[in-house]
Amino acid sequence: MLWAALLPDTLPDDPQRRTEALDGLATWCLQFTPRVAVLEALLQCPAVVMEMEQSLRLFGGKRRLVERVREESTDLGVRQLSWAPTSLAALAVGRAGMSNGFAKPLAQLLDALPLETLTQVASHQATLARLGCRTLGQVRALPRGGLSRRFDSQLLATLDQAYGLRPETYPWAQLPETFHAKLELMARIEHAPAILFGARRLVLQMAGWLMARRSGVTAFTLRWCHDAMRSKTAGDGGELTVRTAQATRDTEHLIRLLAEHLDKVELLAPVGDLELLATEVQSLEEKSFSMLPEARQSGEGLALVLERIAARLGPDRVLRPVILEDHRMEWMCRWRPVPEPAPRAKSCMVEVPQPTFILAKPLRLATQNNRPLYQGVLQLLAGPHRVEGGWWDRTTQSEEGERLGEGKGKGEGAPAPASPETTRHSARDYWVAVSEHAGVLWIFQMRLAKEETAWFLHGTFA
């Protein structure tokens, strides 16, 4: 068996906060194994233990698993991490300041440890000292009959469990349905970016919870509470919600996003407590590994980079094109902020010729004998293709002018008069035409007032 014992560095004195801190560490451990337990939560030296023998293959072997737990647990405030064949042996080894409980045979290793490493033995330390016992091996060498009559049954049971002679049973930690973690800071913080040091521990706990649930987060909220000696105008605290375009549990990406948002926050009073909530959670589809070598991606993906830039510059300054179901060419593509979730349904391709480039505003063409002119007379190759619609797309003339870049210059900065509401309804007959000098063009004919018609150039083919 492979047991790990995690001993936290400092814990609050308040029993409720102390229990919440240990439960948060246990929640993080649940990503590795469901066999996680909290030992002696309200005593002087509590610990969280987990049995990981069945998880070795899943996480790439013992060496990689030990390295990952050691690296991430340091950011969670774990001062000592130890390993042993039993949970109590790992706990005793950790309290003795050692980490490797497999360096020697288990009995030889435990026999040399002092009485203080096991709580049930340390409670009888005064009596055992008068008997000349200073180590666990000396206690174990005493007659079992005398020990059972003179001391309570917990002493022998604890020794047997530590030495692997009796099975260990614990009330296993349960994975909560929602994530809600709190952290009391060691010192009051006056600048928002400094909150990231404590928030990192909460984000790591949330990532472990997401891993255990095989899920990802699309939005999480960080709350902070102001110090009790604050001014009345500062309020109780504040909060910040971070959203992602796609569900993720990438710890480093979430921390980078949080750092970009915290750079824009100004605290009204010193902060003493933090609180993190996973507000929007989605299930993630696990990817199966291939038997063939796969190409490894170096660095971050484009989506993660754009998301972090949007957090720094603002969501309205980083846009991406979104294809919509619309037959009107100029409205097939809309620009949306990167943090907004992409539409799940993909738009259907139109089975008609589509130009490579379109003009921002259609160019009216001259005509000769009812034939359109553009660097010469145009020859119609294919068409007509009727496009009619847009009666539902309501707008104002001022919005349309801003989209086309009009209405600027004279009187700029003055409030624009209210414009009547109109629609972007269009009825056009599109043609594919060829010009001797301009190449293949995309033109349309539309009906004007008084039964007149006009030709417009709308796009070109590459």
Side-chain angles (χ1 to χ4, degrees):
M1 301 291 285
L2 177 64
W3 283 87
L6 295 85
L7 280 67
D9 188 5
T10 56
L11 292 172
D13 296 330
D14 181 64
Q16 181 178 357
R17 289 179 175 268
R18 189 183 186 91
T19 303
E20 290 177 352
L22 291 171
D23 289 343
L25 182 58
T27 300
W28 173 81
C29 292
L30 285 172
Q31 66 177 307
F32 302 106
T33 173
R35 296 171 62 87
V36 178
V38 178
L39 302 184
E40 305 173 6
L42 301 180
L43 298 183
Q44 183 178 2
C45 188
V48 176
V49 296
M50 55 179 173
E51 192 276 310
M52 309 180 69
E53 183 69 28
Q54 307 302 323
S55 304
L56 295 180
R57 184 177 179 183
L58 178 62
F59 290 92
K62 182 178 179 180
R63 182 185 300 273
R64 294 182 61 181
L65 180 58
V66 169
E67 291 177 354
R68 177 174 173 179
V69 174
R70 181 186 296 114
E71 180 181 354
E72 296 185 8
S73 63
T74 303
D75 295 331
L76 292 170
V78 175
R79 63 175 175 85
Q80 184 65 46
L81 174 65
S82 55
W83 308 82
T86 66
S87 62
L88 291 181
L91 178 62
V93 169
R95 288 175 175 175
M98 299 182 294
S99 59
N100 187 6
F102 294 90
K104 300 178 181 179
L106 181 61
Q108 182 180 352
L109 182 71
L110 292 179
D111 284 347
L113 298 182
L115 304 180
E116 296 82 2
T117 54
L118 291 178
T119 302
Q120 298 299 335
V121 179
S123 61
H124 304 285
Q125 183 176 7
T127 304
L128 292 172
R130 288 194 294 269
L131 296 176
C133 296
R134 298 290 185 271
T135 63
L136 297 180
Q138 293 173 344
V139 177
R140 188 164 171 257
L142 296 176
R144 293 181 62 88
L147 284 177
S148 61
R149 291 191 300 269
R150 190 164 186 176
F151 302 97
D152 56 19
S153 59
Q154 290 297 325
L155 188 146
L156 278 179
T158 299
L159 287 175
D160 290 344
Q161 290 177 347
Y163 282 84
L165 303 178
R166 183 179 297 188
E168 300 171 288
T169 57
Y170 299 109
W172 304 115
Q174 300 296 321
L175 187 67
E177 292 296 326
T178 59
F179 181 81
H180 181 197
K182 298 180 180 179
L183 177 65
E184 182 180 2
L185 300 175
M186 294 182 292
R188 299 300 178 256
I189 293 178
E190 298 182 357
H191 302 285
I195 293 179
L196 191 64
F197 177 78
R200 181 181 180 87
R201 180 178 300 184
L202 297 179
V203 173
L204 283 172
Q205 292 182 14
M206 182 179 68
W209 177 80
L210 291 170
M211 181 67 179
R213 293 185 62 89
R214 301 296 184 264
S215 302
V217 66
T218 56
F220 64 95
T221 301
L222 177 67
R223 297 175 180 171
W224 54 87
C225 297
H226 291 153
D227 187 66
M229 303 301 294
R230 64 183 182 274
S231 62
K232 296 182 179 180
T233 58
D236 296 333
E239 65 177 33
L240 173 65
T241 299
V242 179
R243 299 186 178 275
T244 62
Q246 55 187 3
T248 180
R249 54 173 178 257
D250 187 348
T251 304
E252 296 303 325
H253 178 60
L254 295 177
I255 291 175
R256 290 193 190 102
L257 285 181
L258 183 59
E260 298 292 349
H261 284 79
L262 286 175
D263 285 339
K264 305 175 184 178
V265 175
E266 182 177 355
L267 299 179
L268 302 179
V271 173
D273 297 274
L274 297 179
E275 184 179 359
L276 188 68
L277 298 88
T279 51
E280 297 180 12
V281 180
Q282 297 180 5
S283 299
L284 288 180
E285 296 182 1
E286 301 292 341
K287 296 182 179 179
S288 300
F289 293 101
S290 174
M291 296 180 63
L292 301 177
E294 298 180 352
R296 294 186 178 181
Q297 179 181 351
S298 58
E300 291 182 302
L302 178 61
L304 301 183
V305 173
L306 291 179
E307 204 166 57
R308 197 169 73 252
I309 296 175
R312 177 177 301 179
L313 303 180
D316 296 333
R317 296 189 177 185
V318 182
L319 308 177
R320 64 177 174 183
V322 178
I323 305 299
L324 303 179
E325 293 276 2
D326 202 322
H327 290 281
R328 300 168 299 164
M329 176 58 67
E330 61 268 42
W331 299 110
M332 282 186 179
C333 177
R334 304 287 180 92
W335 293 92
R336 294 287 184 261
V338 168
E340 289 188 7
R344 296 183 179 180
K346 295 183 178 180
S347 59
C348 300
M349 299 298 295
V350 181
E351 297 180 357
V352 294
Q354 298 290 320
T356 309
F357 305 99
I358 63 171
L359 305 180
K361 183 178 180 181
L363 175 65
R364 185 168 182 174
L365 302 177
T367 58
Q368 180 180 352
N369 298 328
N370 295 327
R371 298 184 63 182
L373 299 176
Y374 185 76
Q375 299 183 17
V377 180
L378 299 181
Q379 180 181 357
L380 304 181
L381 298 180
H385 171 62
R386 184 73 171 186
V387 173
E388 184 172 357
W391 55 267
W392 61 86
D393 196 357
R394 299 186 177 274
T395 183
T396 59
Q397 294 180 1
S398 60
E399 292 177 353
E400 189 71 13
E402 291 178 1
R403 186 185 72 85
L404 299 176
E406 300 174 352
K408 298 182 181 180
K410 184 177 180 181
E412 185 176 5
S419 300
E421 189 178 55
T422 61
T423 64
R424 297 191 180 103
H425 179 74
S426 61
R428 303 168 179 172
D429 292 325
Y430 278 92
W431 297 78
V432 178
V434 62
S435 170
E436 183 179 354
H437 303 286
V440 184
L441 307 176
W442 205 53
I443 63 176
F444 66 85
Q445 185 183 31
M446 65 179 300
R447 187 179 300 277
L448 303 179
K450 298 180 181 181
E451 300 299 326
E452 295 182 359
T453 60
W455 290 89
F456 292 84
L457 174 63
H458 200 181
T460 60
F461 292 87

